[in-house]
Amino acid sequence: MSIQKALYEEVLAECSDSLDAIALLRQHRPYLEMIPSMRRPDESVISIPLPLAKLRSTVSGGVSGISANSNEVVCLPCDLAILMCDPEWKIKTGVEILIFIHRPQEDFSDLLSRWRQTQVYLSRGYEWEMPLRHRHILSEGSDSVYPLFVVFEGTSERVMRGLKGAYLPFVLRRSPEREPDPTQELSSIELLWSDSEDTLQ
């Protein structure tokens, strides 16, 4: 397994846990502030790896080659869906954050296309296929869908330049031996976005 493939799998596995997903959001403050309650984080965030969504209407993306029928369940091209939940009322809020982890051999157009395809799929209404332990929570989709991209030290500079040029938020995941001191709130990841932190606000 290549180093980048291993890093991809590590991030996907870690962020399948809601508390680790929150740790990822700490690296992009505007999204962290969307969490309903930091006092009850495990009840405020639902993390779904390789998420499934049931579409309400037929979707056709034309030249993109995307097509799906009404009520069809599709596996979205994102890697994780992070859904916010009100811990008191046990209902999903309107905020949904979709995580796109840079995959091995993926260039900028490939990574961006996954976000665009996801936008097309979710454009006409949808419901989430919720994990078993969260089946009691209303799974209706939202209009407030935000992307977050995860890149690595080995990611091409072209990819990061493209994301920044498209005003799409991203965080840099370092290899474990080069991770910064966790006691430092401001890391180099945050510094990458110090000049564009308010892009989606």
Side-chain angles (χ1 to χ4, degrees):
M1 182 183 293
S2 68
I3 294 177
Q4 189 172 344
K5 173 67 172 174
L7 289 173
Y8 169 86
E9 295 291 348
E10 181 181 338
V11 173
L12 181 62
E14 283 184 6
C15 293
S16 296
D17 177 82
S18 60
L19 294 181
D20 285 319
I22 291 174
L24 181 66
L25 297 184
R26 286 185 185 279
Q27 298 168 354
H28 187 64
R29 191 176 300 127
Y31 289 175
L32 182 68
E33 294 172 354
M34 294 178 180
I35 297 176
S37 173
M38 288 304 294
R39 293 181 179 179
R40 300 165 66 178
D42 56 327
E43 299 178 48
S44 298
V45 171
I46 300 171
S47 181
I48 309 175
L50 305 180
L52 301 175
K54 179 184 288 186
L55 309 183
R56 290 182 182 169
S57 304
T58 299
V59 172
S60 178
V63 295
S64 66
I66 294 176
S67 64
N69 297 320
S70 176
N71 293 321
E72 183 176 346
V73 176
V74 298
C75 185
L76 297 177
C78 60
D79 300 294
L80 287 151
I82 300 178
L83 313 182
M84 303 300 175
C85 182
D86 186 312
E88 287 293 332
W89 296 95
K90 308 296 183 184
I91 58 174
K92 190 176 76 63
T93 68
V95 175
E96 301 172 353
I97 300 171
L98 303 184
I99 308 298
F100 295 83
I101 307 170
H102 184 230
R103 297 174 177 175
Q105 310 302 321
E106 194 172 44
D107 212 331
F108 174 61
S109 62
D110 304 313
L111 183 57
L112 181 61
S113 290
R114 289 204 283 133
W115 165 231
R116 298 303 184 215
Q117 290 168 8
T118 302
Q119 288 178 293
V120 172
Y121 275 131
L122 304 184
S123 62
R124 298 187 181 179
Y126 58 97
E127 296 178 11
W128 294 104
E129 290 289 306
M130 300 293 281
L132 184 61
R133 66 186 294 256
H134 297 297
R135 287 287 172 87
H136 61 286
I137 295 177
L138 185 66
S139 61
E140 184 177 354
S142 168
D143 292 330
S144 300
V145 179
Y146 302 90
L148 180 63
F149 296 81
V150 180
V151 297
F152 304 100
E153 290 178 311
T155 297
S156 167
E157 177 66 26
R158 177 173 57 245
V159 172
M160 289 185 273
R161 189 169 65 246
L163 291 171
K164 191 168 185 178
Y167 292 94
L168 292 170
F170 66 93
V171 296
L172 176 63
R173 174 63 180 255
R174 299 183 183 277
S175 56
E177 64 273 13
R178 296 188 61 181
E179 283 289 344
D181 186 343
T183 62
Q184 295 179 351
E185 281 296 320
L186 282 178
S187 66
S188 59
I189 297 172
E190 289 179 288
L191 293 176
L192 280 170
W193 271 88
S194 61
D195 60 341
S196 54
E197 189 172 319
D198 298 327
T199 297
L200 298 179
Q201 294 190 358

